[in-house]
Amino acid sequence: MGTVTLGVSIAVPEPYGSQLQELRAGFGDAAAHGIPTHVTLVPPTEVEADRLPAIRAHLAEVAEAFRGFRMRLAGTGTFRPLSPVVFVQVVEGGAGCTRLQSEVRNPQGPLDRELAFPYHPHVTVAHGISEEAMDLAFSTLADYAAEWLCEGFALYEQGSDGVWRKLREYPFGTGPTGVPAQAGAPAEAARATVRPS
């Protein structure tokens, strides 16, 4: 059956997901439109395609036992010079993300894998572009803020064209609405601000 490249992440809801995606594209990041705005739980991982049923069952089990938690983004950070990334910081909800990704990557589960770096929840807004463009992303979003109730996560597959597409949503056991869409009606009880450049 071959292999597939999967990722597991928390979607940043609308209108913030599209807003940050457009800003990322505006900074010159060519990958922006192929990557829905997200907080990574499992980074790109190549697996045998016949493992998908077991992976889906595992994710459903993790989601059913999990509960919603507040997410808040504020300001920017960077992994430079170690890695060419500028991101919006997760200032509330980091503990929930860390616990969730640990359960998703459970060593006894089908998505067990080592990470190249210690887990650090964040929302990438620039990756692998010029230093000047990275500096612009860092300063433009310095006053950015958004918050929402995280009620689930999703499984994505990367196509041969490099675009990440959602395979399935996994709402938490008490989550009434599941994973926020990347495009559509604005989420209630959430806000975002961007400092004019």
Side-chain angles (χ1 to χ4, degrees):
M1 288 183 68
T3 63
V4 292
T5 300
L6 304 176
V8 181
S9 63
I10 294 169
V12 174
E14 296 303 335
Y16 320 124
S18 292
Q19 181 186 51
L20 289 173
Q21 192 174 42
E22 290 302 320
L23 285 164
R24 182 172 178 174
F27 298 137
D29 190 332
H33 289 298
I35 306 174
T37 309
H38 68 282
V39 176
T40 298
L41 297 174
V42 177
T45 301
E46 188 174 347
V47 302
E48 295 294 327
D50 60 8
R51 289 174 57 197
L52 268 171
I55 289 169
R56 288 190 172 111
H58 169 66
L59 294 177
E61 185 177 316
V62 169
E64 180 59 32
F66 222 82
R67 299 296 175 260
F69 57 93
R70 179 66 54 187
M71 290 283 290
R72 186 163 64 90
L73 309 179
T76 48
T78 183
F79 293 133
R80 294 183 291 175
L82 190 61
S83 181
V85 172
V86 169
F87 56 86
V88 173
Q89 299 186 75
V90 174
V91 297
E92 185 179 350
C97 293
T98 299
R99 187 164 61 90
L100 182 56
Q101 66 86 32
S102 178
E103 293 186 19
V104 169
R105 292 192 306 106
N106 185 311
Q108 280 73 52
L111 282 173
D112 176 35
R113 61 158 290 175
E114 292 293 322
L115 298 180
F117 301 101
Y119 183 72
H120 183 278
H122 63 280
V123 178
T124 298
V125 291
H127 180 209
I129 56 179
S130 72
E131 288 297 318
E132 294 78 12
M134 301 266 268
D135 290 342
L136 178 61
F138 189 90
S139 61
T140 298
L141 292 167
D143 293 332
Y144 187 84
E147 59 184 281
W148 70 94
L149 179 64
C150 177
E151 297 177 316
F153 58 88
L155 174 66
Y156 293 82
E157 179 181 351
Q158 186 178 38
S160 58
D161 55 1
V163 174
W164 286 91
R165 294 175 178 87
K166 184 165 52 183
L167 294 181
R168 184 174 169 187
E169 298 178 351
Y170 294 89
F172 295 148
T174 56
T177 59
V179 177
Q182 283 287 309
E188 294 181 10
R191 61 180 175 76
T193 57
V194 180
R195 186 181 70 186
S197 56

